[in-house]
Amino acid sequence: MNIKQIAKQAGVSVATVSRVLNHPESVAPETKEKIERIMQEAEYTPNWFARGLNFNKTKTIGLMIPHILNPANMEIVKGVEDVARQKDYITFMCNVENDPEKERQYAESLIHRKVDGIILISSHLEADEIENIYSQGVPVVMIGENKGKPNVPVVRTNCQQAIFKAVNYLMEVGYRKIAILYGKTPELENKRKIEGYEQALAKEGIERNPAYIIATENNIEGGYLGAKRFIEMQERPEVILATSDLIAFGVMDAMKDHNIRMPEEISIIGFDNIRMSNMVDPKLTTIEKPLHKMGVVGARLLFDMIEDADQKNQAYLELHRSKEIELQSKIKIRKSCGHTERLQEMFRG
Amino acid sequence: MNIKQIAKQAGVSVATVSRVLNHPESVAPETKEKIERIMQEAEYTPNWFARGLNFNKTKTIGLMIPHILNPANMEIVKGVEDVARQKDYITFMCNVENDPEKERQYAESLIHRKVDGIILISSHLEADEIENIYSQGVPVVMIGENKGKPNVPVVRTNCQQAIFKAVNYLMEVGYRKIAILYGKTPELENKRKIEGYEQALAKEGIERNPAYIIATENNIEGGYLGAKRFIEMQERPEVILATSDLIAFGVMDAMKDHNIRMPEEISIIGFDNIRMSNMVDPKLTTIEKPLHKMGVVGARLLFDMIEDADQKNQAYLELHRSKEIELQSKIKIRKSCGHTERLQEMFRG
């Protein structure tokens, strides 16, 4: 709804609506209340900060975070903020808690407040919702696996391939009973990880054991509870592949509580390589996701787009939109799984 | 600067300025540019969302975080967000990185964007800056030790007392060479912690050894580097009190790299009791700071103030402003320090 429509609905002139916004003391209280009510109902935002007005830089960006208690997310965030700080921008961080409704609410609120751009991490927004943000002149960059596949740039790692390679490695060094304990969130990323796991087993002709594929909450407690289910099995897996380091930490805690030696009785491999994965005992073997770098690359892309939008470089903008940058993961071998000395004891000794 | 002053400076009528804001297409380009330039220079914000207009709820709050890579902060943040979510509010999180200038920039930006209230964690803002936020109709709550002592409510733990009690406990069970490895940030909190440490030693007539008081970065790397200095000493401390769990983790890592057994050769005690402190090996003895609760209590206070401000309950508002809520800390004894079995070996065995 624009100012003309509000005036029409209120049965007043545009000038009166304008006066309500700018010097309300000059408007009769009754008229003022009526116009305000219509504005509120229509969620009308005066367009004073609109890009066309040349007030076009607010020097702020918005950043959607799937969950703030997962350090993996915060390492991506740190990468974004390091770039934003160089550009003298401030970042409004939004804790989505994997709730699509919350994410929508945040997106609206950020647009309403005229941020110069938005970065989505593992977004739940639909393609048309993201297209809608972009069409309002707000550049968008996505980091990670995202629900929508709109025409905006993406920075990601190939989770499927990373797990495929990791499972291959596990089979090469002698493991056969390989279980995967995967987080229920973020949904898409974990779907890819399971695909990678299943493909690797299929390639070696190892039959997929459904009992070895367990879903859990993506946190330490989730890892603990999931691990207990493996511990209770008649035929325990030799190695548990956790889809996040947090889940792996919970698994390790459960193993200690049940006096199960790692990696001798059960090996553990995580995903992310967060700072703490090197601090637990045994040190965690994990798939390194270039978290900080993903944040840096995503933010640089966003600032390129903000600058191109500012300079009305439509051609460059279109070029950015089709970018899909894939960063490589690699396996960090530590004591919890696949470490040479232990492997010799376990499989070759 | 208000709309009248802008009109005066531009040599036009208030109505013309108003037209630039609301239907710029009706204003001559030259005039429009002139007025826009003056607005930009004056950083003029049209007062369309002002509280007096009854558009007075934006359903958003701002939250200043000292540093996002310290999980202790994020546990406070989670407490705030749990309350905000119940109230159907969204939170704009701001990563201050212990930079007063950044915090000022964020505060201005949040006020400009009409948040309903602001929570400051370990703020660097001066009392008059905070008073200035409050006087613009934006309720403020402070969590932790803050630089300014303005007339706004505070939720805190008594860090000084917590360390005092912890050091007393350490002396009771037999430790005499007690070192403190403290974070350079947040500054005020760590100042209080050192005071508590020195008071406890003084009370028992133990001379303060300046070599045992070392400052470091408040993160894992800082703990590692600080610990190395203790390790190199001719007369090593019996116990290292780290002012955060992150620092303690770094200390533990250094001990492992130097094959120093914990707690037998050097005991470690941390501060915060973050989720991971129970996951490291040996499990970390630490001073539990009620992080999540601090966030919950702080957020509840803020929402009480927002509601009272809305209902113009000036008397209630004043009542809130003088509140200082102190939550209790307690020692969590685990294996890294003060655990009965180990103590018997070490001091009574």
Side-chain angles (χ1 to χ4, degrees):
Chain A
M1 212 175 208
N2 65 26
I3 194 165
K4 280 181 197 168
Q5 291 165 310
I6 286 170
K8 197 177 166 195
Q9 197 175 326
V12 300
S13 69
V14 168
T16 307
V17 178
S18 171
R19 278 214 308 281
V20 169
L21 289 166
N22 294 295
H23 23 116
E25 69 287 351
S26 69
V27 184
E30 217 174 302
T31 313
K32 182 171 149 269
E33 272 165 36
K34 187 178 177 186
I35 294 171
E36 281 173 6
R37 204 180 49 244
I38 292 167
M39 284 181 182
Q40 261 178 317
E41 280 164 10
E43 290 178 14
Y44 170 68
T45 315
N47 202 27
W48 58 273
F49 233 127
R51 297 190 160 251
L53 250 171
N54 269 341
F55 279 80
N56 52 358
K57 282 291 193 299
T58 62
K59 290 264 183 185
T60 52
I61 58 170
L63 175 58
M64 303 284 190
I65 308 168
H67 207 293
I68 53 166
L69 290 187
N70 189 340
N73 292 324
M74 299 324 282
E75 291 183 21
I76 297 176
V77 172
K78 185 66 171 61
V80 171
E81 291 240 313
D82 284 349
V83 176
R85 181 172 280 255
Q86 279 172 2
K87 297 274 179 188
D88 203 26
Y89 263 67
I90 60 177
T91 309
F92 287 129
M93 298 181 287
C94 308
N95 180 24
V96 172
E97 294 207 351
N98 295 304
D99 175 349
E101 200 36 60
K102 200 90 192 165
E103 190 173 0
R104 254 169 232 128
Q105 225 179 319
Y106 269 123
E108 273 174 33
S109 193
L110 289 169
I111 297 165
H112 181 81
R113 287 176 169 77
K114 311 295 175 195
V115 291
D116 290 343
I118 296 178
I119 295 180
L120 308 171
I121 304 176
S122 306
S123 177
H124 296 82
L125 297 181
E126 304 286 348
D128 61 341
E129 291 174 310
I130 295 174
E131 194 64 45
N132 180 38
I133 299 175
Y134 189 88
S135 71
Q136 293 181 59
V138 182
V140 179
V141 169
M142 304 197 299
I143 297 178
E145 298 292 339
N146 300 274
K147 191 167 182 214
K149 290 282 168 230
N151 194 16
V152 300
V154 187
V155 179
R156 57 199 294 277
T157 49
N158 191 330
C159 299
Q160 186 171 343
Q161 199 183 59
I163 293 271
F164 180 84
K165 283 187 187 171
V167 174
N168 262 321
Y169 171 75
L170 294 174
M171 293 185 299
E172 261 172 43
V173 297
Y175 295 94
R176 279 297 169 273
K177 297 181 204 160
I178 303 169
I180 187 163
L181 181 58
Y182 71 95
K184 289 174 188 162
T185 55
E187 209 182 321
L188 280 168
E189 203 179 289
N190 287 304
K191 213 178 136 207
R192 298 271 170 283
K193 288 176 185 172
I194 294 169
E195 284 165 8
Y197 163 82
E198 293 182 336
Q199 281 167 358
L201 293 185
K203 193 185 128 263
E204 289 296 305
I206 296 181
E207 208 184 335
R208 174 184 171 284
N209 179 351
Y212 283 176
I213 306 174
I214 293 184
T216 196
E217 297 301 323
N218 185 13
N219 54 36
I220 296 176
E221 289 68 24
Y224 192 94
L225 295 173
K228 279 180 73 173
R229 293 179 55 191
F230 289 120
I231 291 168
E232 287 159 7
M233 287 179 186
Q234 280 270 310
E235 202 176 330
R236 289 181 186 162
E238 293 161 339
V239 54
I240 299 172
L241 199 169
T243 60
S244 75
D245 289 348
L246 283 189
I247 292 177
F249 294 162
V251 172
M252 293 175 87
D253 209 24
M255 295 301 155
K256 285 179 192 170
D257 281 357
H258 291 80
N259 296 310
I260 295 171
R261 284 171 306 136
M262 298 167 281
E264 293 84 349
E265 292 174 81
I266 292 188
S267 301
I268 320 282
I269 175 168
F271 201 109
D272 287 336
N273 193 30
I274 60 174
R275 183 66 187 84
M276 286 303 300
S277 62
N278 197 21
M279 300 290 307
V280 288
D281 182 65
K283 289 181 195 289
L284 182 67
T285 293
T286 187
I287 299 164
E288 184 185 44
K289 196 170 164 181
L291 299 163
H292 185 265
K293 197 171 172 188
M294 288 172 82
V296 167
V297 171
R300 283 197 185 141
L301 249 171
L302 186 74
F303 284 109
D304 283 348
M305 290 175 83
I306 291 173
E307 280 154 30
D308 288 336
D310 195 41
Q311 289 158 26
K312 308 205 187 309
N313 279 332
Q314 201 57 43
Y316 280 174
L317 260 178
E318 284 306 316
L319 214 66
H320 289 308
R321 288 184 76 179
S322 59
K323 279 185 186 167
E324 190 168 336
I325 299 176
E326 201 169 279
L327 301 176
Q328 294 307 308
S329 296
K330 56 180 179 234
I331 308 180
K332 278 271 178 196
I333 295 172
R334 301 197 186 102
K335 285 199 180 159
S336 77
C337 178
H339 197 261
T340 322
E341 285 170 42
R342 301 292 185 180
L343 284 173
Q344 277 168 352
E345 281 172 41
M346 291 163 74
F347 298 111
R348 292 165 203 160
Chain B
M1 212 176 206
N2 64 28
I3 194 165
K4 282 182 195 166
Q5 291 166 311
I6 286 171
K8 199 177 164 193
Q9 197 176 324
V12 300
S13 69
V14 168
T16 306
V17 178
S18 171
R19 279 212 308 281
V20 169
L21 290 167
N22 294 294
H23 24 115
E25 70 287 353
S26 69
V27 184
E30 217 174 303
T31 313
K32 182 170 148 269
E33 272 164 35
K34 187 178 178 187
I35 294 172
E36 282 174 5
R37 204 179 49 245
I38 293 168
M39 283 182 183
Q40 262 180 317
E41 280 164 10
E43 290 178 12
Y44 170 69
T45 315
N47 202 28
W48 57 274
F49 234 125
R51 298 190 158 252
L53 250 171
N54 269 340
F55 279 78
N56 51 358
K57 282 292 194 300
T58 62
K59 290 264 183 184
T60 53
I61 58 170
L63 175 58
M64 303 285 191
I65 308 169
H67 207 294
I68 53 166
L69 289 188
N70 189 339
N73 292 325
M74 300 321 284
E75 292 184 19
I76 297 177
V77 172
K78 185 67 170 64
V80 171
E81 291 240 313
D82 284 349
V83 176
R85 183 172 278 256
Q86 279 172 2
K87 296 274 178 188
D88 204 24
Y89 263 67
I90 60 176
T91 309
F92 286 129
M93 299 181 286
C94 308
N95 180 22
V96 171
E97 293 209 351
N98 294 303
D99 176 349
E101 201 36 61
K102 201 90 191 161
E103 191 174 359
R104 253 169 232 127
Q105 226 178 318
Y106 268 123
E108 272 173 34
S109 192
L110 289 170
I111 297 166
H112 181 79
R113 286 176 170 75
K114 312 293 176 194
V115 291
D116 290 342
I118 296 178
I119 295 180
L120 308 171
I121 303 176
S122 306
S123 177
H124 295 84
L125 297 180
E126 304 285 347
D128 60 342
E129 291 174 309
I130 296 173
E131 194 64 44
N132 180 37
I133 300 173
Y134 189 88
S135 71
Q136 293 181 62
V138 182
V140 180
V141 169
M142 302 196 301
I143 296 179
E145 299 291 337
N146 300 275
K147 191 168 182 213
K149 289 282 168 231
N151 194 16
V152 300
V154 187
V155 179
R156 57 200 293 278
T157 49
N158 191 329
C159 299
Q160 187 171 343
Q161 199 184 58
I163 293 272
F164 180 83
K165 282 186 186 170
V167 174
N168 263 320
Y169 172 75
L170 294 174
M171 293 186 299
E172 260 171 42
V173 296
Y175 296 95
R176 280 295 171 274
K177 297 181 202 160
I178 303 168
I180 186 164
L181 182 58
Y182 70 97
K184 288 174 188 163
T185 54
E187 211 183 319
L188 281 169
E189 202 178 290
N190 287 304
K191 215 178 134 205
R192 299 271 171 282
K193 288 176 184 172
I194 294 169
E195 284 166 7
Y197 163 81
E198 292 183 336
Q199 282 167 358
L201 292 185
K203 193 184 128 261
E204 289 295 304
I206 296 180
E207 207 182 337
R208 174 183 171 284
N209 180 350
Y212 283 176
I213 305 174
I214 294 183
T216 196
E217 297 301 323
N218 185 14
N219 53 36
I220 296 175
E221 290 69 24
Y224 191 95
L225 295 172
K228 278 180 74 172
R229 293 179 56 192
F230 289 120
I231 291 167
E232 286 158 8
M233 286 179 187
Q234 280 271 311
E235 202 176 330
R236 287 180 187 162
E238 293 159 340
V239 55
I240 298 173
L241 199 168
T243 60
S244 74
D245 289 348
L246 282 189
I247 293 177
F249 294 161
V251 172
M252 292 175 89
D253 209 23
M255 295 302 156
K256 285 178 192 171
D257 280 357
H258 291 80
N259 296 310
I260 295 172
R261 284 170 306 138
M262 299 168 281
E264 293 83 349
E265 293 175 79
I266 292 188
S267 301
I268 320 282
I269 173 168
F271 200 110
D272 287 335
N273 193 33
I274 59 175
R275 183 65 185 84
M276 285 303 298
S277 62
N278 197 22
M279 299 292 305
V280 289
D281 182 65
K283 289 180 194 287
L284 182 66
T285 293
T286 188
I287 299 163
E288 183 186 44
K289 195 170 164 182
L291 300 162
H292 186 266
K293 198 171 170 186
M294 288 171 83
V296 167
V297 171
R300 283 197 185 143
L301 249 170
L302 186 74
F303 284 109
D304 283 349
M305 290 174 83
I306 291 172
E307 280 154 29
D308 288 334
D310 195 41
Q311 290 159 23
K312 308 204 189 307
N313 280 332
Q314 202 57 44
Y316 280 173
L317 260 177
E318 285 306 315
L319 213 68
H320 290 308
R321 288 184 75 179
S322 59
K323 278 184 185 167
E324 191 169 335
I325 299 176
E326 202 170 278
L327 301 176
Q328 294 307 306
S329 296
K330 55 180 180 237
I331 308 179
K332 277 271 178 197
I333 295 172
R334 300 196 187 103
K335 284 198 179 159
S336 77
C337 177
H339 197 262
T340 323
E341 283 168 44
R342 300 292 186 183
L343 285 173
Q344 277 169 354
E345 281 172 41
M346 292 163 73
F347 298 114
R348 292 166 202 157

